[in-house]
Amino acid sequence: MLLPVLLSLLLAALLVLAVGREPQEVLEKIWQGAFRNTRSFAGVLNFWIPLTLASVGLFVTFRAGLWNIGIEGQILAGAIFASAGALTFDFPPELAPLQLLLQILLGVLGGMVWAGITGALKIWLGVNEIFGGMALNALAGVWGIYLISGPWYPEGGSAQQSRPFLENALYPPLSRDWPVGLLAIVMTAVAMVLVPLIMARTRWGLQLKATGSNPRSALLLGVPTTRVAMSAFLVCGALAGIAGSYRVMFTYGSFRPLVAGGIGFLGLLVVLLSTMKPLWIPLITFVFSAILAGSTRLRVSLQLDSSLAGVLQGTLVLVFILFQGLRQRLEARRGDQAGDVSQASASSQSGLTG
Amino acid sequence: MFRKIAFALMVCTLFGMLALPAIAQDEIIYGVVLVGPRNDRGWSQSHFEAGQYVEANNENATMLFFESLNEADTPEATLMDVVTEMVDSGAEVIFTTSASFEQDTNGVAEAFPEVVFINITGSNVLHGDAPFNVGNFNTLMEVPRLLAGCSAALASETGKIGYLGALIDPETRRLAASSYLGARHCWNTYRADMGMDLEFTVTWIGFWFHIPGFTLDPTEVANEFFDNGADVVISGIDTTEAIQVAGRRASEGSRTFAIPYGNAGGCDEAPEACLGVAYYNWGPAYLDVVNSAQDGSWEQSWDWLALDWMDINNPDTSTAGYLRGTGMPEEIAANLDEFQGALADYMSAQDMGVESIYLWEGPLNLQDGTELAAEGEAVPLLDIWFSPQLLEGMIGASE
């Protein structure tokens, strides 16, 4: 685990040297940008929350063997539904928590509807979830653009966002120095602990795994695979919906058609990197969030090309994946030499799912 | 003797050290927040170059910038994050250069009351909801647009002009409408021998630039215009697809032109197909703000800046301009000169400040037939600013 990290850091350092900067200086700026005070740390968390929620959701669909590319659309649909609540409701202060809850639930609903459609297309009409997901991503995007130029057009403004939400429609910040939504952190923490637990310990989790690794034999063994696949979509959609609600109800405080911002796609990368070990997910998302949020300072203070942070992150990912591939090959070779052992473990696994 | 010199040197050094901070106080750092890349050959590049213009003309000024701040390219950063970093690096003036930052600029201005914020091209100050440290400016881009429209009409042989629009809001409507007014005027005045009506079609892609899946593809839209008989496409978006498509078709032998938008270098991608470019030159306006913030005389205002009517391409005096392209057919130059002369006369006659814009005069109707101005009446400036619809005679959606 440590070797690829060191190697990618080395590569990144060479890259920074190549553009004529001190690697130490770059690292220092990113660190300061992320962790110099509570406000900058809150900035890291504000990106970590939706990224982690989306990644945990994707972990579920991956486990069921589904490539949920439609996650972007699910985040956006969550944002649209939550925004509809934010622009409609105006509860008195004593009922503010109720309004907040309703809006979050709307966000959850939005994500689930979008994921549910993808699931239904896949299960009953045989549309591959990658194509269905892409189509629904685009549909959510077009809908979002329609909303800000039509029903949600801010009077006298420009058609790039809805009017700002009222205060009672926003996740309350922890404090002035900690501008981050506590409730969202709690929900994220619960999701990142509970989802892996459920997956490992419950019948549903095992059915999911069986469906993912071999749907045909799972079906023969009596696993209701369509229902299981659908439930995976719905759980992922719900988490994506919360992520979307946070983007509009905290980060931006108004609806914008691009709020999903590629967070879902980044989540796909996170889950691939985690090699399906869910406990790594919040850590990887944290590193990603810190690098990205911290690089804002890097860009302002060193006036570096905007793509550098992306290139750094890309290097990290690439080296990591390379190492994973290498390790798998090595393990496979070792496995050949010790065929008995791997056979034994395989049979014990099938016993588990059966 | 030696000791005396040494003593004198020491004293000098000491005084020098004391004097240094006094000089440093006059230095000013300003930030420029861009919505797109600084080399987009359009909107954002013009703002970046304006920032460079300030550095070139005020030796005590230093620029910080942040490019591509939008929810898709930098989902991890909000305007508040960027501004916080800029203020932390010493910025005293920050230009937020997109209408998409209009709302957020009010928020950051409240958080940093000691910093001057200029949002371009918002209406915060006009709406009356802006904190005291927010200013807005815009320039009368409508005028270069009139010239763009006129050039298009003069160069067209098919009588069909396509307008590649961004999203639909008052700003984009009034810029499209200005292009139309210039085109209609020049078509009717100089091209009556064609014996047909001008066809001016607006297609909105849905955003300021192409977002795959979200917006129409501007390359496709430009191609469609040409396929349907248009021979000039006027661009109203941040990016350069129109000139690229026109250039490609021209190099294959078709007679196709485009008029890019935003940056003075807009023609460079395909000079031979470029009739001209309607561009921004924010430098002088930036310099005014930075200088007035530096000497403490800055005051909140909403400014719709005039151009230098007699020399609209003067980099030090005109906030927008129209540069003719090398692709412009020579035979149209005389008519365009005449049009530009009449325009300059009309605009410069208003020496008490601009109250109306050339050709924005009645009889003019909105697209649905509602009267905008009666015969002989000029459309008031703010009615142009808040254009509710396209104009009668234009083809395309108003909302």
Side-chain angles (χ1 to χ4, degrees), chain A residues 20-350:
Chain A
R21 294 286 181 171
E22 294 286 321
Q24 195 192 337
E25 192 185 17
V26 168
L27 208 63
E28 196 179 287
K29 292 292 177 197
I30 294 184
W31 183 267
Q32 289 172 353
F35 304 119
R36 77 176 177 289
N37 58 31
T38 55
R39 297 185 68 90
S40 66
F41 189 47
V44 175
L45 290 177
N46 281 328
F47 195 66
W48 176 79
I49 290 168
L51 182 59
T52 307
L53 285 167
S55 304
V56 171
L58 285 168
F59 170 69
V60 177
T61 45
F62 265 116
R63 184 43 68 85
L66 299 165
W67 277 83
N68 187 16
I69 302 286
I71 180 99
E72 280 286 295
Q74 290 149 27
I75 296 175
L76 186 52
I80 290 176
F81 275 57
S83 299
L87 293 167
T88 313
F89 307 145
D90 186 10
F91 290 15
E94 65 272 18
L95 292 178
L98 183 66
Q99 176 175 347
L100 189 68
L101 188 71
L102 272 176
Q103 288 177 211
I104 298 171
L105 285 176
L106 273 171
V108 167
L109 182 70
M112 286 173 88
V113 167
W114 237 243
I117 299 174
T118 316
L121 284 171
K122 157 107 180 164
I123 292 162
W124 289 299
L125 294 174
V127 179
N128 185 299
E129 73 275 13
I130 295 180
F131 301 125
M134 289 300 273
L136 280 157
N137 287 351
L139 195 63
V142 171
W143 191 23
I145 284 187
Y146 159 74
L147 285 170
I148 51 156
S149 57
W152 293 353
Y153 174 73
E155 212 37 58
S158 94
Q160 313 215 23
Q161 48 205 247
S162 74
R163 70 167 164 79
F165 300 163
L166 299 173
E167 206 174 317
N168 56 1
L170 302 174
Y171 282 94
L174 193 53
S175 75
R176 223 188 105 78
D177 290 327
W178 280 100
V180 58
L182 179 63
L183 181 61
I185 294 186
V186 171
M187 288 192 292
T188 311
V190 168
M192 75 192 207
V193 172
L194 212 58
V195 168
L197 263 179
I198 292 175
M199 306 281 278
R201 299 280 167 85
T202 66
R203 190 180 171 78
W204 178 71
L206 293 176
Q207 288 179 337
L208 214 62
K209 196 171 176 181
T211 308
S213 37
N214 191 339
R216 185 157 299 185
S217 42
L219 193 63
L220 290 174
L221 288 166
V223 175
T225 48
T226 55
R227 210 171 67 201
V228 167
M230 191 58 162
S231 64
F233 271 119
L234 292 178
V235 169
C236 182
L239 292 171
I242 300 178
S245 78
Y246 192 70
R247 295 289 282 170
V248 288
M249 288 162 55
F250 192 89
T251 307
Y252 294 112
S254 63
F255 176 73
R256 301 160 188 212
L258 301 177
V259 279
I263 290 176
F265 295 140
L266 197 56
L268 289 167
L269 201 59
V270 169
V271 181
L272 288 179
L273 279 180
S274 74
T275 60
M276 296 305 284
K277 296 190 180 73
L279 291 179
W280 283 104
I281 288 176
L283 271 174
I284 298 172
T285 52
F286 188 77
V287 173
F288 274 22
S289 306
I291 293 179
L292 282 170
S295 68
T296 301
R297 185 178 186 84
L298 177 73
R299 289 172 60 179
V300 168
S301 57
L302 295 187
Q303 302 286 287
L304 282 174
D305 195 87
S306 59
S307 48
L308 190 72
V311 174
L312 289 183
Q313 186 176 311
T315 318
L316 206 76
V317 170
L318 198 67
V319 173
F320 235 84
I321 289 179
L322 272 174
F323 262 76
Q324 256 169 34
L326 267 177
R327 206 176 54 195
Q328 272 168 9
R329 277 189 84 150
L330 276 175
E331 276 171 8
R333 194 172 296 168
R334 240 179 263 152
D336 283 345
Q337 286 161 2
D340 294 346
V341 182
S342 67
Q343 244 176 14
S345 80
S347 62
S348 82
Q349 252 184 9
S350 67

Side-chain angles (χ1 to χ4, degrees), chain B residues 28-70:
Chain B
I28 186 160
I29 297 174
Y30 58 97
V32 179
V33 185
L34 306 171
V35 69
R38 68 178 186 272
N39 53 1
D40 67 353
R41 296 202 178 194
W43 175 261
S44 288
Q45 183 168 340
S46 295
H47 283 287
F48 183 69
E49 286 168 358
Q52 291 179 316
Y53 179 89
V54 177
E55 276 188 331
N57 287 280
N58 179 341
E59 57 186 14
N60 292 321
T62 311
M63 167 168 65
L64 300 171
F65 68 92
F66 190 95
E67 55 185 331
S68 297
L69 180 65
N70 61 69

